[in-house]
Amino acid sequence: MQWQAKKQVLVAFAFTALVGCGDDDAGSGMTHEDMFPSDMQAPVDMNATDRPPRDVPCQDESIGALNLLETVATGAITEQAPAPDFEHLVDARAGGFMPSESYLYARFTDAGLVKVDFDDESALESTEWDISFRRFVIRLNSGVAGPSYVVAARTAGGSTFDEVASVPEGLTFREEAYMSASCEFVSDGSGIGAPATALSSFWTYPGCVAMTGNVFVVQLATGRHVKLEVLGYYSPEAQAQCDETGSITTAERGSGNLRLRWAFLD
């Protein structure tokens, strides 16, 4: 793949998406439940645990659509609360609103969420990561994002993190399918150019990146399950203001710093 040439494709798209993400006051006011219902993607049967890496479709198209890059992310993952209910701060700023770094790649371990140093090209060929972050986008290692089998399901509306003590019955797990079968980009419908990832509904956009409180179950390639909630995209003060009012007036926003709460369910 000719990465140096192709990574410049749709740079304008990336700039529009990132600048629009909570740093102006325009927004649709729609929620992801309106824009991206849970049945938009086809379900995946992920029962087997001993599976070889898969071919990743639409790689060339993904380079332009997601502005995939070759520079390893310099951000860190910082533990803020230990097991069993981990909390981590993920520096997903990627160099700013116009990203100059790859997604930050990580894997879930008994010791916490651990960063793995992949650039975007290498990650397309590796099963050694579970989840990746850049600004407001979170991707899992499956489907069009990577060769592994990490999938996710959203729990029932109104579920809280503490209430999810085991894997709920009837969940529909989904792999990453933000590129169509014909390799066309699939937007989440927010109006700011975000891809329709399996975890897209952790946020909504009334004019800033507000948290929905949705709780997800992530199934790893090993068959283990993780419950996960994204608590924030901004600094705590700015996030509280965004969630309560739909806008941010404070000068210190700290955008691109994702706060996650998660725990193993088995």
Side-chain angles (χ1 to χ4, degrees):
M1 292 186 293
Q2 298 177 0
W3 280 73
Q4 290 293 342
K6 292 182 179 180
K7 72 180 182 180
Q8 298 302 323
V9 178
L10 297 182
V11 168
F13 151 78
F15 179 77
T16 300
L18 291 169
V19 172
C21 191
D23 289 276
D24 60 34
D25 292 325
S28 66
M30 297 180 70
T31 69
H32 275 259
E33 283 73 11
D34 298 322
M35 299 182 292
F36 185 45
S38 60
D39 59 355
M40 278 186 64
Q41 298 175 1
V44 179
D45 182 3
M46 304 300 290
N47 293 324
T49 58
D50 185 14
R51 294 158 293 193
R54 297 182 292 177
D55 292 333
V56 179
C58 305
Q59 292 190 32
D60 288 352
E61 292 80 4
S62 293
I63 294 168
L66 274 72
N67 189 28
L68 300 182
L69 301 169
E70 293 178 285
T71 302
V72 174
T74 58
I77 298 176
T78 305
E79 183 181 291
Q80 298 188 309
D85 293 346
F86 287 104
E87 288 189 19
H88 285 88
L89 180 66
V90 179
D91 181 352
R93 291 175 293 175
F97 296 117
M98 193 75 163
S100 57
E101 299 175 356
S102 292
Y103 282 73
L104 187 156
Y105 294 88
R107 64 177 181 267
F108 295 101
T109 77
D110 289 325
L113 187 66
V114 176
K115 180 182 177 183
V116 287
D117 287 331
F118 289 117
D119 61 50
D120 290 329
E121 180 177 14
S122 300
L124 287 170
E125 302 175 353
S126 176
T127 60
E128 297 302 312
W129 62 278
D130 298 321
I131 191 168
S132 67
F133 312 88
R134 193 169 74 183
R135 307 300 301 183
F136 55 94
V137 180
I138 301 177
R139 299 183 300 150
L140 302 175
N141 192 347
S142 62
V144 297
S148 192
Y149 297 83
V150 185
V151 292
R154 190 173 69 199
T155 61
S159 299
T160 68
F161 184 89
D162 290 334
E163 289 172 346
V164 180
S166 61
V167 179
E169 295 183 1
L171 291 182
T172 300
F173 288 91
R174 308 178 192 282
E175 65 180 9
E176 295 296 11
Y178 50 78
M179 306 298 291
S180 70
S182 58
C183 294
E184 297 294 327
F185 177 75
V186 180
S187 170
D188 69 348
S190 63
I192 60 174
T197 68
L199 299 181
S200 284
S201 66
F202 82 82
W203 61 279
T204 188
Y205 193 71
C208 56
V209 181
M211 298 295 100
T212 61
N214 286 337
V215 179
F216 301 89
V217 174
V218 177
Q219 180 173 298
L220 306 181
T222 60
R224 296 187 76 182
H225 294 88
V226 167
K227 62 176 178 177
L228 181 148
E229 180 184 358
V230 183
L231 302 175
Y233 171 79
Y234 305 107
S235 65
E237 178 185 3
Q239 191 66 62
Q241 187 178 81
C242 173
D243 293 347
E244 291 171 7
T245 69
S247 64
I248 299 176
T249 58
T250 179
E252 179 52 51
R253 298 182 178 186
S255 62
N257 289 284
L258 294 167
R259 288 180 290 121
L260 311 178
R261 187 184 185 194
W262 67 275
F264 282 109
L265 291 175
D266 47 30

